[in-house]
Amino acid sequence: MAMVVELLLPLDGLSVRGARVVLARPTLRDPNTTDMNDSAWAILLMMEVLLAEDETVAITGVEMILDGSSMTLQHTAQMNLTILKKASTIMQVICTDLYVDVSESQRRVMLARPGHRDPTTTSMDDVARTILLTLDLLLEEDETIGVTGMLVVMDTGEITFQHAAQMTPTIMKKMATLIQEGYPMRPKGLNYINTPAAFDTVFNIFKTFMKEKMKRRTHFHGSDLDSLHKEVPKEVLPVEYGGTNGTIEDIKKYWLQRVDARRDWLIEDEQYGVDESKRPGKAKTSADLFGIEGSFRKLNVD
């Protein structure tokens, strides 16, 4: 945390334009023991703290003072084109996100079709593991998602009574907690399409665990693709949803290959967790977070 405060320091008061002022001093870090990724995480962490403690920042915005003194050749050597592009995206998104929502074209979109699984051979735990595996992979390969956020398109057209019966209040609360608080993915929109009448009952359960902000970002489109396209650009949707981004089968094959290529990393990642015995104060348990013991964290990769 000390490095975070050194690199990015919010100042008291407002600028002449009424914005919060943040002092950035990137050269105070030691390039022998840290890199640009550490700087990026420090910036994101401080901005999250600032937004959490002062919601008016979302309206006033921020002005940044960048102190580039004491920059050495070692600092410069770490600023390759890939890092600079990521840093540019993060800084632009932070500045625009504090004033208005980020352009939809800058956000990743996840298409979920929960009705396409066989409820006689799979459970909601399998669904949760699949979602978390995908999010882990996305966040590990592209940390800017933590800033730009994600849009979710949920096609519920194939959901049956057997699917709905597995969506218990306990499961719904776990999933809502994980999506809204467990991952730094900043959900920016939840778009439901092809919703059957029976889905209302399931969603009403889920809605009780949603924050007010997330409720405002939830949209129901029925079977109206034009309505969906107002929230999600055609350029990122598959052709089955009126888009131009390939077919669902093509996207499925791409992701199966991508997950398989990172199989070793996913298995290794499962070895890590939180040691609550080292947390200052009271340890957090599953009962504290979800109201019931248990976790979706276990993942089996064949």
Side-chain angles (χ1 to χ4, degrees), residues 24-239:
R25 302 175 295 170
T27 58
L28 288 187
R29 69 175 177 84
D30 183 354
N32 295 308
T33 58
T34 62
D35 57 22
M36 288 295 292
N37 285 324
D38 297 312
S39 295
W41 282 116
I43 291 172
L44 295 180
L45 177 60
M46 180 57 79
M47 296 309 296
E48 290 288 350
V49 171
L50 183 60
L51 283 166
E53 296 185 350
D54 184 3
E55 294 181 352
T56 63
V57 174
I59 299 175
T60 63
V62 297
E63 292 185 17
M64 188 166 291
I65 301 173
L66 182 61
D67 182 356
S69 62
S70 303
M71 181 171 287
T72 66
L73 182 61
Q74 286 175 293
H75 288 103
T76 305
Q78 292 179 346
M79 298 180 183
N80 56 59
L81 291 177
T82 300
I83 289 292
L84 289 175
K85 183 177 180 180
K86 287 184 177 181
S88 175
T89 300
I90 289 173
M91 294 310 298
Q92 291 181 68
V93 169
I94 285 177
C95 292
T96 55
D97 192 40
L98 292 175
Y99 286 104
V100 294
D101 277 342
V102 181
S103 168
E104 304 298 345
S105 62
Q106 292 179 287
R107 295 194 180 118
R108 300 298 296 268
V109 177
M110 178 179 288
L111 171 63
R113 302 184 300 158
H116 281 253
R117 69 177 177 87
D118 184 350
T120 64
T121 58
T122 61
S123 67
M124 287 299 295
D125 279 351
D126 297 313
V127 174
R129 292 189 188 104
T130 302
I131 293 173
L132 298 184
L133 180 149
T134 306
L135 290 178
D136 283 345
L137 190 55
L138 280 171
L139 289 166
E140 196 274 336
E141 295 185 351
D142 184 5
E143 61 268 28
T144 62
I145 292 175
V147 179
T148 60
M150 292 187 65
L151 296 175
V152 177
V153 177
M154 184 79 69
D155 184 350
T156 59
E158 302 296 324
I159 285 182
T160 66
F161 177 78
Q162 286 177 295
H163 291 103
Q166 293 180 347
M167 299 177 188
T168 64
T170 300
I171 289 289
M172 293 292 99
K173 184 173 183 180
K174 282 186 177 183
M175 296 190 72
T177 302
L178 285 168
I179 291 172
Q180 295 177 111
E181 301 178 26
Y183 275 73
M185 60 175 284
R186 298 171 66 89
K188 292 292 186 177
L190 184 57
N191 296 272
Y192 287 96
I193 192 166
N194 298 326
T195 49
F199 181 74
D200 291 345
T201 301
V202 175
F203 181 76
N204 286 335
I205 297 174
F206 186 62
K207 187 168 63 173
T208 61
F209 306 118
M210 294 172 67
K211 297 180 178 179
E212 288 301 319
K213 180 169 62 176
M214 198 62 227
K215 291 179 183 178
R216 293 193 298 269
R217 294 175 177 176
T218 302
H219 309 280
F220 293 90
H221 305 287
S223 58
D224 188 350
L225 291 179
D226 289 335
S227 176
L228 175 64
H229 298 158
K230 292 177 182 178
E231 300 293 331
V232 185
K234 290 183 179 181
E235 291 76 14
V236 298
L237 288 169
V239 295

Side-chain angles (χ1 to χ4, degrees), residues 4 16 33 39 60 85 96 169 245 250 272 283 293:
V4 174
V16 295
T33 58
S39 295
T60 63
K85 183 177 180 180
T96 55
N245 192 24
D250 292 335
Y272 304 107
E293 290 292 340

